[in-house]
Amino acid sequence: MNARTTYFEHGTAAERWARAQLFFEAKEYATAARILHPLAGEAPEQLAPRLLLARAYYHSAQLSRAEHELRALLERWPVEDYAQLMLGRTLERQGRAAEAAPFLRLAAAMAGEFPE
């Protein structure tokens, strides 16, 4: 185990969560994902770390990982409109617009945005 890994894994879950948020806010998305991945695994029932992990994957262009995490989130929390939106955007970014469309429509409807 190297020093970087030790630093990222050091501390309580709350300390690692705070550290991951700091890296995310600093736009160090890949680093935030490295911290969040084990943290999300420790508490799969908590939405916030898993959603931030998906966002970190998305922003660091780890799109297949983002898609996987978002699909898992939506299995557990199908009414999470932001996860619906993120999955749609992730699929669009992968050039899969037709597959993204239902997620984007659902997210818009959940947010109260209806086409005129």
Side-chain angles (χ1 to χ4, degrees):
M1 190 177 299
N2 65 32
R4 282 176 66 100
T5 304
T6 303
Y7 169 73
F8 293 146
E9 294 175 350
H10 178 74
T12 65
E15 290 168 338
R16 289 179 286 142
W17 168 245
R19 186 176 306 122
Q21 288 178 302
L22 289 172
F23 278 104
F24 188 89
E25 290 167 12
K27 298 184 180 186
E28 294 288 336
Y29 303 117
T31 302
R34 281 195 297 273
I35 298 166
L36 287 162
H37 180 74
L39 189 60
E42 290 171 23
E45 72 285 353
Q46 291 186 8
L47 174 64
R50 294 185 67 187
L51 191 54
L52 191 60
L53 174 60
R55 290 176 65 201
Y57 283 150
Y58 176 85
H59 288 298
S60 62
Q62 297 179 64
L63 300 178
S64 61
R65 288 180 177 175
E67 178 185 353
H68 176 77
E69 191 61 36
L70 289 162
R71 288 187 186 277
L73 279 169
L74 289 171
E75 281 182 27
R76 189 173 200 129
W77 295 282
V79 297
E80 179 54 48
D81 62 324
Y82 190 68
Q84 297 279 354
L85 175 65
M86 289 262 332
L87 181 54
R89 296 286 183 236
T90 299
L91 293 169
E92 276 185 332
R93 199 166 163 196
Q94 293 177 3
R96 296 158 60 190
E99 197 177 336
F103 294 102
L104 297 173
R105 281 193 305 271
L106 185 55
M110 292 170 95
E113 301 167 11
F114 300 100
E116 295 180 16

